[in-house]
Amino acid sequence: MKPKINACDNILELIGNTPLVKLNKIASSLSGNFYAKVEAFNPGHSSKDRIAHYIIEEAERKGILKQGSTIIETTSGNTGFSIAMVSIIKGYDCILAVSSKSSKDKIDMLRSMGAKVYVCPAHVSADDPRSYYQVAKRLHEETKDSIYINQYFNALNLEAHYNSTGPEIWNQTNGCITHLVACSGTGGTISGTAKYLKEQNPNIKIIGVDAYGSVLKKYHETREFDANEIYPYRIEGLGKNLIPAATDFDVIDIFEKVTDQESAHTAREISKTEGIFVGYTSGAVFQAVKQLSAEGEFNENSNVVVIFPDHGSRYMSKVYSDDWMADQGFFDVESVEEEKAIQY
Ligand code: PMP
């Protein structure tokens, strides 16, 4: 007889059902209650496990994937890691075209998970043949039995969060959530989660976080693509230089823009005050919360859920490197004073 062992069948069973953690010190001077959905608790350490797993299983259900098929994607790193992880368990090959803006840690990590990685220049337009979109498209055309996940234009990205992140947050807050604040990259996380939450209670306010240098906020306000909004910035995974079809702009109430510098300092502050070792975009999301608080967005009855998309270990050579911060000019007098004030 088989012994009764309390174990998962494989690592993929651990995707989703991430904890909601109350934010204490960092939120102590703000009006309202703040809770972080800590997506680093996924086995691939980011929210992207949810979409990789969901999209690949949908393709299997439709009979598109066979043993030995190849899965191709463009990625800032996290989606690639998740696809590589799911591919290992399910027996697929994984090819990733990544931006040269991605950290070396992330690229090395993808290769460690068995993925074949193509590094493409970050500051070229999406239709340039060197861009990671065009490279992925070409590889898809050239590789027999391949699928292209295409997270920016795949409605299943949004659907994955509609079916998991949304219900989890609704249940974890017992329906008491008043605001959701989340980064927008592909927009899958925010719009899938928001769509579910708004169906439960249309009064929940949905706030998207965008980067200076990205077109999303302006597009949300005008429904027009303004190329003048585009310029290089440092935060990986947040904002975009095109309009992703995976974003449902109608379920987002407002966008708030944040800077590279303030987001980096806020990520460091979250780690040091809450003991939650977060990635760069978690800093961005809480930086947006600080700005919105200063504008009077929240009151003592607000129950604000923020999504922390990934883990700080992926940014050791960036946000958590003093040398990198100094090279970016992020250690100006004011921010050094702020950091000193939270030395512990
Ligand atoms: N943060 C990080 C670190 C990411 O990699 C991404 C994905 N690009 C996001 C936030 C934004 O999530 P989404 O693509 O679902 O909008």
Side-chain angles (χ1 to χ4, degrees):
M1 203 177 90
K2 252 184 159 179
K4 201 170 179 310
I5 304 285
N6 192 9
C8 300
D9 277 348
N10 62 54
I11 196 79
L12 304 185
E13 279 188 11
L14 296 173
I15 294 173
N17 294 312
T18 53
L20 194 64
V21 181
K22 188 170 192 307
L23 298 174
N24 297 300
K25 286 186 202 152
I26 199 165
S28 59
S29 62
L30 310 180
S31 187
N33 307 301
F34 296 84
Y35 304 90
K37 180 84 168 147
V38 187
E39 289 292 289
F41 275 83
N42 282 297
H45 303 148
S46 88
S47 54
K48 294 298 182 176
D49 283 2
R50 296 175 187 269
I51 70 161
H53 193 221
Y54 188 83
I55 294 172
I56 290 171
E57 293 211 329
E58 279 296 300
E60 287 175 338
R61 267 192 284 278
K62 289 176 191 150
I64 300 169
L65 287 173
K66 310 180 195 77
Q67 273 294 309
S69 287
T70 301
I71 303 179
I72 298 173
E73 182 53 329
T74 53
T75 171
S76 66
N78 283 327
T79 308
F81 188 91
S82 301
I83 294 169
M85 182 181 77
V86 177
S87 299
I88 289 169
I89 303 302
K90 291 178 172 287
Y92 304 126
D93 288 333
C94 172
I95 298 184
L96 304 168
V98 314
S99 156
S100 56
K101 208 165 73 166
S102 302
S103 65
K104 186 176 175 298
D105 313 352
K106 280 186 176 179
I107 293 167
D108 287 346
M109 201 157 36
L110 297 175
R111 293 191 169 131
S112 309
M113 291 294 280
K116 193 166 176 189
V117 183
Y118 292 75
V119 181
C120 309
H123 305 308
V124 296
S125 69
D127 52 11
D128 187 299
R130 295 166 298 166
S131 79
Y132 50 94
Y133 306 108
Q134 299 303 331
V135 170
K137 232 169 90 182
R138 179 172 55 76
L139 290 169
H140 174 42
E141 283 157 13
E142 288 171 0
T143 311
K144 200 170 158 277
D145 282 339
S146 63
I147 66 159
Y148 176 23
I149 299 271
N150 204 5
Q151 61 172 333
Y152 284 91
F153 295 93
N154 190 338
L156 295 175
N157 172 356
L158 185 158
E159 205 175 289
H161 291 286
Y162 176 87
N163 286 323
S164 65
T165 321
E168 286 173 30
I169 291 175
W170 181 252
N171 292 331
Q172 284 168 316
T173 58
N174 286 312
C176 293
I177 173 175
T178 59
H179 298 74
L180 174 76
V181 188
C183 291
S184 206
T186 67
T189 307
I190 186 163
S191 32
T193 307
K195 194 166 168 238
Y196 181 86
L197 292 174
K198 288 249 187 199
E199 281 173 10
Q200 315 312 308
N201 174 3
N203 296 324
I204 297 170
K205 188 155 179 183
I206 309 296
I207 300 160
V209 182
D210 190 19
Y212 285 100
S214 153
V215 295
L216 301 179
K217 178 177 164 68
K218 183 82 176 275
Y219 179 79
H220 181 252
E221 288 162 3
T222 63
R223 289 298 193 271
E224 272 171 33
F225 176 83
D226 183 356
N228 293 322
E229 291 285 299
I230 301 170
Y231 53 86
Y233 56 90
R234 291 279 158 213
I235 313 177
E236 297 159 36
L238 170 64
K240 210 56 213 166
N241 57 357
L242 51 76
I243 308 303
T247 310
D248 180 350
F249 286 87
D250 293 338
V251 293
I252 302 168
D253 293 297
I254 56 165
F255 272 93
E256 180 75 7
K257 283 205 177 199
V258 292
T259 67
D260 288 340
Q261 181 172 10
E262 288 173 313
S263 301
H265 282 286
T266 302
R268 293 164 71 112
E269 190 186 350
I270 296 164
S271 300
K272 287 181 173 172
T273 53
E274 302 301 312
I276 309 172
F277 193 34
V278 295
Y280 203 168
T281 54
S282 304
V285 103
F286 206 77
Q287 177 57 32
V289 164
K290 288 182 184 180
Q291 292 170 197
L292 292 160
S293 288
E295 290 161 18
E297 178 66 46
F298 311 117
N299 63 40
E300 60 195 12
N301 300 319
S302 299
N303 293 318
V304 183
V305 173
V306 301
I307 298 184
F308 286 170
D310 72 350
H311 195 257
S313 58
R314 293 194 172 159
Y315 304 87
M316 291 312 295
S317 60
K318 294 203 167 178
V319 171
Y320 294 107
S321 155
D322 285 352
D323 292 342
W324 184 84
M325 292 287 282
D327 285 349
Q328 306 308 309
F330 286 177
F331 281 140
D332 59 24
V333 176
E334 208 175 298
S335 54
V336 168
E337 286 309 311
E338 270 174 30
E339 282 234 331
K340 274 192 194 147
I342 50 162
Q343 288 303 335
Y344 337 9

